[in-house]
Amino acid sequence: MCGIVGAVAERNITAILVEGLKRLEYRGYDSAGVAVYTNDQSVERMRRPGKVGELEAALAEHPLVGRLGIAHTRWATHGAPCERNAHPHFSGDIAVVHNGIIENHEALREQLKALGYVFSSDTDTEVIAHLLNHKLKDLPDLTAALKATVKELHGAYGLAVISGQQPDRLVAARSGSPLVIGLGLGENFLASDQLALRQVTDRFMYLEEGDIADIRRDNVQIWDVDGHVVERQTVQYSDGAEAADKGEFRHYMLKEIHEQPAVVQRTLEGRLSQNQVLVQAFGPQAAELFAKVRNVQIVACGTSYHAGMVARYWLEELAGIPCQVEVASEFRYRKVVVQPDTLFVTISQSGETADTLAALRNAKELGFLASLAICNVGISSLVRESDLTLLTQAGREIGVASTKAFTTQLVGLLLLTLSLGQVRGTLGKDVEANLVEELRRLPTRLGEALAMDSTVEKIAELFAEKHHTLFLGRGAQFPVAMEGALKLKEISYIHAEAYPAGELKHGPLALVDNDMPVVTVAPNNELLEKLKSNLQEVRARGGELIVFADEKAGMTNGEGTHVVQMPHIHDILSPILYTIPLQLLSYYVAVLKGTDVDQPRNLAKSVTVE
């Protein structure tokens, strides 16, 4: 997703802007640009398609020197990735950079054309620049114009604006897309991620939803969504706060498990309007392509494959689209019959998984409608070679056993499901609005699940002397059970298998005895009573049950049965929530076993060979 950097100082800030963009390259982008109020007392810009290095080279040939400026890396949502669509966008001497999507840009564009404004790009952002220009004709300053402008914008945005008429300030607005102010001495900064500013400051102030900020060299003023002047807390980071440091946690894996509420929030930001998913978040051609989709083929490996299996339930239930899910290493080596108008979806944390990449390249020869990558690394091969992309914003994941990458993949796949259902008219507006609201609550629910950390740690003691485990789930929880089994075997080296609970009597029940723990996920849905019957079959054979159950499921502890009460959540989102305790369980069992949690034997973080 796009990146923003801004600065107002008593020194030349161009190098700071470019360095900030480099630090945001992990987010993925297709063009880059800067606008600087130069020593010639005019706002000038430089834009280049491609990498930040191309922009840096252009600035070396034609330097822009000044003390006020904004910069941007763009991920195309409206208009092709090219120089004229790259940010910043101008209207007169006003320059704007923008993260997010303006839903009503077409209506605003027509209004502004009627007022005589001429558009030079295909973007929704240029609308903001012209609207600001128009407002500034009747208002006293840039901040007042920005306040008036955002009242007419529908959608998600993080905005940074400068004007040659008022070269002492940088103004910003946040709605659905994050912004952070970096505080210096006689200089202040703005960015979409504090990592962009760590080279110039360690003090930060995070804007909240609806905030407007007026940033000057020697002060910062912020107004909240109701127009009241507010103070936002200043946070100071030490060098130990970087992503590569474990901080207070014993292992990277545990740190990354606990980061999930934050990274899920980041994955959602800028992609939801009040009642809908913003389809353009998948790319400028997404709406047009999604309208043609009649089938979905998902291809992935390992944990990502399990995410795809969950998505199959969602796509068929909510969007009414047939879905096939296959392991990439199998897909690439068999003769595939492609159904008409099939969207080819790949899922990968690194975007460099050899089998998944090979499957994508093979798919391009097979006649699929289009390709879509769900990925965590914006500059990866998978992203570069796919028609559409959704970046999962999980941040760097160091532990080999994937945790936060998996849950953000699930969030991305649910956004895809809702987008397909919305565009194709197969998903009711009320249903989508309800699920969007549930998605907004999801980070809080994940935090509630993480609060059970000590309870799960105690449950892990039951596995100290065990060598085998069964995991059970029904419906969309079966892939969650598979993921739980994978995590346990990856880092504790306990043999674990997962089955649909209804399959117990077809073979696995023969394994059950008092030395075989059986882990079950039990949300409160239409399959609950059937699941309870399956669990009785386990207890009748002496098996010890560990059940993660919805607090409304009516399940209690008993002889050989250990029930962990889970927060109630909408059934569609339950696979994301129930993943959390299974990750914690595998972690604490591994700690008891004394294994290398972050770097388990024989495994690599990114499998770049067959």
Side-chain angles (χ1 to χ4, degrees), residues 520-596:
T520 306
V521 284
N524 188 23
N525 59 24
E526 72 277 5
L527 295 174
L528 178 62
E529 293 307 316
K530 293 184 182 296
L531 180 62
K532 288 180 178 179
S533 297
N534 301 141
L535 300 186
Q536 289 302 317
E537 294 170 347
V538 172
R539 281 302 303 134
R541 274 81 180 174
E544 190 161 27
L545 284 169
I546 296 91
V547 186
F548 295 95
D550 187 288
E551 60 191 7
K552 297 183 180 181
M555 302 187 73
T556 57
N557 292 322
E559 184 179 355
T561 301
H562 310 272
V563 178
V564 178
Q565 302 285 350
M566 295 287 293
H568 180 67
I569 193 169
H570 193 292
D571 185 47
I572 291 296
L573 275 67
S574 63
I576 306 172
L577 182 72
Y578 279 74
T579 294
I580 301 293
L582 299 188
Q583 293 173 348
L584 289 169
L585 178 64
S586 64
Y587 171 78
Y588 284 116
V589 172
V591 170
L592 284 172
K593 291 282 190 180
T595 61
D596 189 338

Side-chain angles (χ1 to χ4, degrees), residues 344-389:
F344 189 81
V345 178
T346 55
I347 312 169
S348 172
Q349 185 273 328
S350 68
E352 303 294 345
T353 308
D355 285 318
T356 306
L357 263 175
L360 171 62
R361 291 162 183 166
N362 184 35
K364 291 186 176 183
E365 308 298 322
L366 296 175
F368 284 91
L369 174 68
S371 58
L372 165 67
I374 305 286
C375 186
N376 191 42
V377 181
I379 58 174
S380 64
S381 300
L382 197 70
V383 168
R384 294 197 306 269
E385 296 181 28
S386 297
D387 299 314
L388 303 172
T389 301

